[in-house]
């Protein structure tokens, strides 16, 4: 399965998927406009929705929803997709940690494993 990277110029326009080292928008070294994200943030009417990253405004990530609404979120509240297919469609496998009850995205490898993790990486370590 191809991983869509953001760290080289020949990857321009490509986006990142969740990995062991990067699961949120904050974890990405290079953020690209159009990066798919899953919102777990503070606004209840937008929680659990998919959106795309636009730009940073001070410490907030401005994201765009399908209805063209733009809102600012802490990058920790924006989870990366588990997988992006060849057509660029992002798929999110989001789970709730059994210990801290926070949301976390599965990586593609975790999705394909015989047993999915039941706790987030922070609680597992």
């Amino acid at each position: 399965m191809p991983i869509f990277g953001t760290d080289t110029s020949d990857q321009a326009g490509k986006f990142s998927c969740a990995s062991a080292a990067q699961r949120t928008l904050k974890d990405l070294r290079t953020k690209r406009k159009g990066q798919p994200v899953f919102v777990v943030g503070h606004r209840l009417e937008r929680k659990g929705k998919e959106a795309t990253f636009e730009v940073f405004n001070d410490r907030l990530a401005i994201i765009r929803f399908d209805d063209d609404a733009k809102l600012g979120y802490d990058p920790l509240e924006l989870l990366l997709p588990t997988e992006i297919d060849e057509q660029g469609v992002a798929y999110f496998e989001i789970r709730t940690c059994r210990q801290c009850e926070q949301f976390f995205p599965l990586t593609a490898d975790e999705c394909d494993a015989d047993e999915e993790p039941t706790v987030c990486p922070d609680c597992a370590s």
Side-chain angles (χ1 to χ4, degrees):
M1 183 206 87
I3 297 294
F4 289 75
T6 60
D7 56 347
T8 60
S9 59
D10 64 323
Q11 294 285 328
K14 304 288 182 164
F15 305 113
S16 293
C17 294
S19 70
Q22 59 187 33
R23 292 182 189 255
T24 69
L25 185 68
K26 182 175 172 105
D27 298 332
L28 291 182
R29 184 171 183 209
T30 304
K31 287 97 171 147
R32 297 201 187 281
K33 183 177 180 174
Q35 169 70 50
V37 292
F38 183 90
V39 178
V40 294
H42 54 284
R43 298 202 49 172
L44 292 178
E45 71 274 9
R46 299 290 179 168
K47 193 172 189 173
K49 305 279 186 203
E50 295 179 28
T52 57
F53 170 72
E54 289 286 311
V55 69
F56 270 100
N57 179 4
D58 292 322
R59 292 185 183 139
L60 294 179
I62 306 301
I63 60 168
R64 179 188 301 259
F65 292 91
D66 287 340
D67 62 0
D68 283 331
K70 291 182 184 177
L71 295 171
Y73 284 88
D74 182 320
L76 283 172
E77 298 175 319
L78 304 171
L79 305 181
L80 297 177
T82 299
E83 188 174 355
I84 301 175
D85 69 13
E86 292 78 27
Q87 288 76 36
V89 176
Y91 295 93
F92 295 87
E93 292 290 336
I94 309 298
R95 301 295 184 266
T96 305
C97 177
R98 289 198 179 164
Q99 287 183 347
C100 69
E101 297 183 4
Q102 296 297 313
F103 292 108
F104 69 98
L106 296 179
T107 66
D109 289 341
E110 289 169 342
C111 257
D112 294 338
D114 291 338
E115 198 171 313
E116 289 182 358
T118 58
V119 296
C120 69
D122 291 337
C123 290
S125 57

